[in-house]
Amino acid sequence: MSEKKKIEWWPIGIVMAMLTFMGGVLFAVGIMMKNDVALTSDDYYAKEIAYQSEIDKSSRALAEDRKPVVQMSTVTDALEIKFPGRKNSSIFTGKATFFRPSDAHKDFKVDLNPDSSGLQRFALGGRDAGLWVVQLEWEEDNTPYYHEQQFTH
């Protein structure tokens, strides 16, 4: 009598797993090849120059005689910003943007108008407590400056 040969299933399982894996990889490669990914923009040179001007504004604001001092006053519940390089005779314009990283609906902007000593206070009594970021963008004697700082209220 002839014996029936028993089929071994483990080699078939290994081959099926390898074919499934290779099929998945080929499918993913096919999907990725169909997507158009533009890594640069048409006017990248102009954007680089604009970004460099932002870097220049920030580095000017970090100079020892220009860096604003931002601190929260617990007595008055106000944010105090001191512009140490501010001269009374200079032309000073700017804005402060307060934004809340956790809730964009609570963001607000205020014009900068420091007093003769270079100090400006922003009352934050009605604002939610927590982490805030203030972005100061100002121009003094036609020289632009930019400074950003986090604070907790």
Side-chain angles (χ1 to χ4, degrees), residues 19-35:
L19 288 175
T20 303
F21 176 75
M22 287 189 292
V25 168
L26 289 175
F27 177 74
V29 168
I31 294 293
M32 290 180 210
M33 294 295 284
K34 288 181 183 179
N35 290 338

Side-chain angles (χ1 to χ4, degrees), residues 12-132:
I12 296 171
I14 291 175
V15 169
M16 291 300 290
M18 289 176 60
L19 288 175
T20 303
F21 176 75
M22 287 189 292
V25 168
L26 289 175
F27 177 74
V29 168
I31 294 293
M32 290 180 210
M33 294 295 284
K34 288 181 183 179
N35 290 338
D36 182 30
V37 178
L39 296 178
T40 61
S41 62
D42 293 336
D43 57 346
Y44 69 92
Y45 185 70
K47 286 184 178 180
E48 174 63 27
I49 291 173
Y51 186 67
Q52 184 61 45
S53 72
E54 293 295 318
I55 293 171
D56 293 342
K57 287 195 290 188
S58 291
S59 63
R60 274 193 297 273
L62 291 177
E64 277 304 312
D65 62 335
R66 291 286 176 194
K67 185 176 180 182
V69 178
V70 179
Q71 62 187 17
M72 192 67 196
S73 171
T74 55
V75 176
T76 60
D77 199 22
L79 184 72
E80 295 179 347
I81 301 173
K82 173 81 171 157
F83 295 93
R86 168 97 167 91
K87 298 176 241 134
N88 290 333
S89 61
S90 63
I91 300 169
F92 188 98
T93 59
K95 66 179 178 188
T97 304
F98 291 84
F99 74 92
R100 176 101 177 179
S102 62
D103 189 357
H105 293 28
K106 296 180 179 168
D107 299 354
F108 65 98
K109 293 181 182 183
V110 180
D111 288 332
L112 289 175
N113 190 14
D115 62 15
S116 61
S117 68
L119 179 67
Q120 184 164 358
R121 288 184 178 91
F122 298 99
L124 300 175
R127 306 288 176 179
D128 288 351
L131 178 68
W132 286 84

Side-chain angles (χ1 to χ4, degrees), residues 125-143:
R127 306 288 176 179
D128 288 351
L131 178 68
W132 286 84
V133 178
V134 61
Q135 295 174 331
L136 305 170
E137 194 165 1
W138 74 97
E139 192 170 304
E140 188 171 0
D141 290 334
N142 294 325
T143 304

